[in-house]
Every structure is written in structure tokens, then in C-alpha cells.
Amino acid sequence: MSATQNHIGPSQSPCLPHPSPRQRLILASASPRRRELLAQLISGFDIVAAEVTEHEDPATDPRVMVAHNAALKADWVAERHPEAVVLGADTTVFIGERVLNKPAGAAEARAMLRELSGRTHTVFTGLALRCGQSGLRLEARVSSEVTFKPLEEALIEAYLAKVHTLDKAGGYSIQEHGEMIVASRRGSLSNIIGLPLEETKELLVRARVL
């Protein structure tokens, strides 16, 4: 799969013709990383964590997985807050025809870092923007590439001692001591962190939130 190929889909229903400039925006995620990134684009948004069961089958096409999960989150929140514009997002790591989601424990985090060691993987993010009141439906998919340094066991242990990775796809965080493990990257850094800012901004502009 080619990385850094971004896709933004058409709206299936038009936005309100003249939405209020103070139209409420909700981020359908409790992720502190997504909250911090979205705050670079807009202030005053709300956060409502979607209470959904995400699809995480490691054999699933990662593009399908992130698109499905982002829509699942956005739809769940939009159904309960129909007056608001809702942003859902989902990110995963893909290597060797296999998806690496969030590790279940320290042992799995170590195993993921060993698998990523010295190799290039792809980070996929799906975005979904919804508004129940207007029928707004916008979606986008973004990918970036990350190449890891060869990681010795001592380095893996040192990294895990510094970074909490159990809530991060692939068992790592590029913005936290990434210099220890990452050799290079190609594409959007914010996508690798969890919310591609360029594509998110484009969706919010098309929805007339920005």
C-alpha cells in the first residue's frame, strides 16, 4: 500500500445552507492527543467519548477498519447531539499485512516494538464528520509512513520505561521520545500522532465550522 495518499470523500448530504458561526463542534474521542491537536485548529469545542465497541480484527484492511471506527464514533455521538457537528477519528498501524492496534499489556507492547524494529510501517487514520440535524456526512482517510531504527532489547526496555504505550496503536508514541526509536517518517506527523490536521481542517471548512 502506498503511504501518504490522502482521500477525502464527498458529502452524502449537504450542510446547512447558513450554519451559525458558533455551531457546536464535538470531538467524539477522549484522546488527549486528539484534543491537543484539534485545539490547534479551533477553540471552544466539546468532548463526548463515544461508547462503542471498535472493530479491531488484525486481519481487516486497515483503511476499512479506521473508516468504520471513525464513523461508528461520530454516528454514536451525533445521534445523541443532533444539533452539533461531530468529529470522529480512528488510527492504527499496519505492517506485513497485519494491523497493530493498542497493546493489551506490556508483553504485547514489547512484541510490537520488536516487530516494528528496523522496518517501515504505515499509519492509517480515518476521519468522519457528522451532523444529525443537517444530514452532514463527510469522511477522509490519511496515511503516513514511519521507519524504525533497529531496536535492541535494552533500548526497547528503556523506551517502555519512559513512555506509556498501552493506549497507543503499535505500542509507541512518535511525539514522546520518538528519537529513541524512529529513524525517519514520510507524510503527516499529526496523522501519526492521531489527528491529521490538514485533512481535518479541510473537512471543518467544508462543513462551515471554520
Side-chain angles (χ1 to χ4, degrees), residues 93 95 100 112-119 121 148 170 172:
V93 166
I95 186 169
L100 301 183
M112 287 182 177
L113 291 176
R114 292 184 192 112
E115 186 168 358
L116 296 171
S117 173
R119 302 171 67 190
H121 63 270
F148 265 32
Y172 78 95

Side-chain angles (χ1 to χ4, degrees), residues 79-92:
E79 183 178 345
R80 289 155 179 80
H81 301 275
E83 81 293 348
V85 172
V86 179
L87 173 64
D90 189 61
T91 301
T92 199

Side-chain angles (χ1 to χ4, degrees), residues 22-199:
R22 296 185 179 274
Q23 190 168 13
R24 184 185 182 198
L25 175 67
I26 298 177
L27 174 63
S29 171
S31 164
R33 296 170 298 282
R34 291 197 179 110
R35 181 180 67 239
E36 291 165 3
L37 287 167
L38 185 58
Q40 296 180 30
L41 297 178
I42 187 171
S43 61
F45 59 89
D46 295 322
I47 296 171
V48 178
E51 298 176 16
V52 298
T53 300
E54 298 179 34
H55 178 70
E56 294 189 340
D57 183 345
T60 301
D61 183 320
R63 294 164 296 191
V64 173
M65 176 185 291
V66 296
H68 170 85
N69 288 336
L72 191 68
K73 297 172 190 178
D75 288 339
W76 190 93
V77 175
E79 183 178 345
R80 289 155 179 80
H81 301 275
E83 81 293 348
V85 172
V86 179
L87 173 64
D90 189 61
T91 301
T92 199
V93 166
F94 183 72
I95 186 169
E97 304 304 315
R98 196 164 76 89
V99 168
L100 301 183
N101 292 307
K102 298 171 185 176
E108 188 173 9
R110 289 185 183 92
M112 287 182 177
L113 291 176
R114 292 184 192 112
E115 186 168 358
L116 296 171
S117 173
R119 302 171 67 190
T120 298
H121 63 270
T122 307
V123 179
F124 289 98
T125 297
L127 299 172
L129 206 62
R130 300 286 191 266
C131 181
Q133 193 173 75
S134 68
L136 173 73
R137 296 177 64 86
L138 291 171
E139 297 181 351
R141 296 190 303 269
V142 185
S143 62
S144 306
E145 282 186 351
V146 180
T147 301
F148 265 32
K149 300 174 181 179
L151 306 181
E152 306 224 351
E153 287 298 312
L155 179 56
I156 289 175
E157 293 303 322
Y159 178 76
L160 292 176
K162 290 178 177 289
V163 182
H164 175 72
T165 67
L166 300 188
D167 64 340
K168 300 170 179 68
Y172 78 95
S173 173
I174 195 169
Q175 73 274 23
E176 297 179 64
H177 301 286
E179 73 283 352
M180 295 176 67
I181 58 174
V182 174
S184 64
R185 65 173 174 86
R186 185 162 70 93
S188 166
L189 175 61
S190 58
N191 175 55
I192 299 166
I193 296 172
L195 188 70
L197 289 180
E198 183 177 346
E199 291 76 14

